[in-house]
Amino acid sequence: MRRTSRIIRTRRSPGNHLAAPRTRRAAAVLAAGVLAVSLTACGGGDDDKGDDEDKGGGTGGTGTTVTLPKLDGESLEVAAVWTGAEQANFKKVLAEFEKRTGAKVTFVPAQDPIINFLGSKVAGGAPPDVAMLPQPGAIKQAVDKGWAKPLGAEAAKELGENYSQGWQDIGTVDGKQYGVYYKAANKSLIWYNAQVFENAGAAEPKTWDELLTTAQTVYDSGVTPFSVGGAEGWTLTDWFENVYLSQAGPEKYDQLAKHEIKWTDPSVKEALTTLAEIWGKKDYVASGALGTDFPTSVTQTFTGGDQPKAGMVYEGDFAQVNIGETEAEVGTDAKVFPFPAVGDTAPVVSGGDAAVILEDSKAAQALATFLASPDAAAIHAKLGGFLSPNKNVDPSAYPNDVQRKIAEALVAAGDDFRFDMSDQAPQAFGGTPGKGEWKILQDFLKNPGDVAGTQAKLEADAAAAYGN
């Protein structure tokens, strides 16, 4: 999955209408504060798993909130890039849809970039009925290519009742609603091994300088501070976006996302130089980062007893899926703090995966309606490693206090979030393995001293992809 940011108006979604910058900034600051308070409140560690096992049914205690048609004999294909536990958990949501409607749903594993995958399916005359698209830019491309079909009245009604306007807007193209943002992510989190911190006497940092101090404390205790999944370039863009949003501010973030300022701008130089304080510090990043995929970057932080490969790993709430593959308990062994403030305020970056209909039918529209409901989200939430922007999901559906507080903070942010910058870019620049921003930041991880060269390459590739 392309992991999921916080408010932005996507350059690729002309139907979006955002609040004035000053209002957005104030609200984003508030949202970051809410997140910080929430995570601090639950940092002491209670997993709550036993309490939640009896919440009842797949809906996490919310009951059935949406009426679906009978679809006996109908079949659907749903494509997504999700793998492993993430795919398995989504299949349980699809199983509930099958149970309620009588339809048969087949999950189709897709490859990144999903637009290319879908293109081959369309060309072969066999597109999936619904695709989970991880980028606003991908939704726009699907619309421009004539693949995507607008949501019907029932799905749009469900979306309007359960989502803030901002989450509706990023699924809109030219005034029409195409996407249901079923899955979100808070991508401004750093997870840490509680035993490593305790052994080192390290504290949760609130600022970048404090993060560097914490890293040194962990390093001095004999553990490498950071695990980085550098084999997957999207993790590196997420690092950059958090630093850039906090340091340069939301207005600059919006401008860079639209390529209204160049990647050779001094603000980009400052952010890359800041990143190099960790990426370029000898022995601060676990060895083999460029060969480490995201799941391994998480699991190696929470295995190995008192000597894991690293003490901390940056990424979103969805890292809990991978933590769940270890013996570590979220909230006890694996704890989390908000990405520290690099500038005046801590960043709040999010992302998401939207359901988009490619083959219009009563069954496809019903699935989109179901995915826009609290019922579907609550099933997935209960399984862990999932965050929904659906404001009517009962918080009790989440399996532990850490995840519950992260979800509540996301909903409390309302429309005020910045969406992942690379996910807003043309896919050739911001969403293709081995190319564009992903590849250039991988090169920068390998050689973090080359700030100017990295900026020049980013600008050249961005200019080509944006066409300006």
Side-chain angles (χ1 to χ4, degrees):
M1 122 184 188
R2 182 102 51 267
R3 323 301 164 162
T4 308
S5 359
R6 210 88 247 173
I7 185 167
I8 192 151
R9 171 56 70 258
T10 97
R11 109 184 234 284
R12 306 178 61 81
S13 297
N16 293 347
H17 302 288
L18 294 185
R22 182 172 300 179
T23 302
R24 296 204 317 262
R25 181 164 193 160
V29 172
L30 173 62
V34 169
L35 177 63
V37 170
S38 297
L39 295 186
T40 300
C42 64
D46 81 281
D47 186 77
D48 285 354
K49 284 182 181 176
D51 293 338
D52 284 325
E53 284 179 353
D54 298 321
K55 291 297 179 185
T59 57
T62 62
T64 300
T65 68
V66 62
T67 300
L68 300 171
K70 286 300 179 183
L71 299 168
D72 296 295
E74 298 290 326
S75 61
L76 288 170
E77 289 188 345
V78 181
V81 298
W82 299 333
T83 59
E86 189 171 32
Q87 180 188 125
N89 290 350
F90 183 56
K91 285 182 176 178
K92 293 178 182 178
V93 177
L94 298 179
E96 179 66 16
F97 178 77
E98 290 180 320
K99 178 181 175 183
R100 294 196 193 184
T101 64
K104 172 65 176 175
V105 184
T106 301
F107 181 91
V108 178
Q111 291 82 44
D112 261 330
I114 192 169
I115 283 293
N116 293 356
F117 171 84
L118 295 177
S120 65
K121 291 291 186 181
V122 170
D129 298 274
V130 176
M132 308 302 294
L133 300 184
Q135 301 145 315
I139 298 175
K140 177 67 162 54
Q141 284 182 277
V143 172
D144 290 345
K145 291 175 181 292
W147 302 345
K149 307 300 187 292
L151 297 182
E154 289 301 314
K157 177 177 177 288
E158 197 69 22
L159 194 65
E161 290 176 353
N162 298 317
Y163 287 76
S164 72
Q165 191 61 48
W167 282 103
Q168 294 178 59
D169 285 347
I170 57 175
T172 301
V173 179
D174 296 333
K176 292 183 180 180
Q177 193 75 51
Y178 289 91
V180 172
Y181 268 88
Y182 167 73
K183 192 175 193 296
N186 185 313
K187 302 179 84 171
S188 296
L189 304 172
I190 295 180
W191 297 88
Y192 68 95
N193 186 311
Q195 188 61 57
V196 167
F197 267 46
E198 182 179 340
N199 292 347
E204 293 185 0
K206 292 184 172 60
T207 67
W208 184 262
D209 286 345
E210 289 177 1
L211 178 64
L212 297 178
T213 298
T214 296
Q216 186 63 43
T217 302
V218 169
Y219 175 79
D220 290 342
S221 76
V223 176
T224 302
F226 294 98
S227 176
V228 176
E232 301 183 49
W234 61 264
T235 65
L236 307 184
T237 69
D238 288 352
W239 267 99
F240 172 83
E241 288 156 9
N242 275 273
V243 170
Y244 190 83
L245 176 58
S246 182
Q247 192 170 60
E251 288 76 22
K252 283 272 194 183
Y253 185 99
D254 291 349
Q255 291 169 353
L256 189 60
K258 300 170 188 175
H259 201 226
E260 291 176 351
I261 58 175
K262 297 184 182 226
W263 284 81
T264 48
D265 189 85
S267 61
V268 177
K269 176 182 179 180
E270 187 176 16
L272 292 173
T273 301
T274 298
L275 267 180
E277 292 177 345
I278 289 177
W279 292 3
K281 178 81 170 179
K282 183 174 172 57
D283 298 328
Y284 263 30
V285 174
S287 62
L290 285 170
T292 302
D293 61 22
F294 167 70
T296 302
S297 74
V298 178
T299 56
Q300 70 183 16
T301 306
F302 300 102
T303 53
D306 285 350
Q307 289 294 315
K309 285 204 71 173
M312 291 176 276
V313 59
Y314 156 71
E315 253 313 335
D317 60 283
F318 46 82
Q320 288 181 95
V321 170
N322 308 101
I323 295 172
E325 296 170 356
T326 74
E327 295 182 0
E329 293 290 336
V330 171
T332 304
D333 309 304
K335 296 186 179 181
V336 64
F337 56 85
F339 198 98
V342 187
D344 293 338
T345 61
V348 188
V349 175
S350 181
D353 296 271
V356 175
I357 295 172
L358 303 182
E359 289 285 291
D360 203 0
S361 67
K362 183 178 180 180
Q365 290 287 351
L367 180 59
T369 301
F370 181 58
L371 294 178
S373 76
D375 301 11
I379 296 167
H380 208 149
K382 188 175 182 180
L383 299 170
F386 172 85
L387 189 65
S388 173
N390 189 316
K391 63 187 178 183
N392 290 320
V393 174
D394 188 334
S396 70
Y398 291 95
N400 58 66
D401 201 43
V402 171
Q403 185 75 356
R404 193 171 302 125
K405 297 299 184 182
I406 294 172
E408 289 172 342
L410 177 71
V411 170
D415 292 346
D416 296 291
F417 59 91
R418 277 296 188 285
F419 204 92
D420 185 295
M421 185 188 295
S422 63
D423 283 357
Q424 298 175 67
Q427 192 159 295
F429 177 67
T432 301
K435 296 183 179 180
E437 188 181 3
W438 289 18
K439 175 62 165 63
I440 295 167
L441 288 182
Q442 287 175 319
D443 292 342
F444 182 64
L445 176 62
K446 184 177 181 180
N447 181 19
D450 187 18
V451 172
T454 299
Q455 283 186 272
K457 291 174 186 175
L458 286 166
E459 176 53 30
D461 281 16
Y466 283 88
N468 63 351

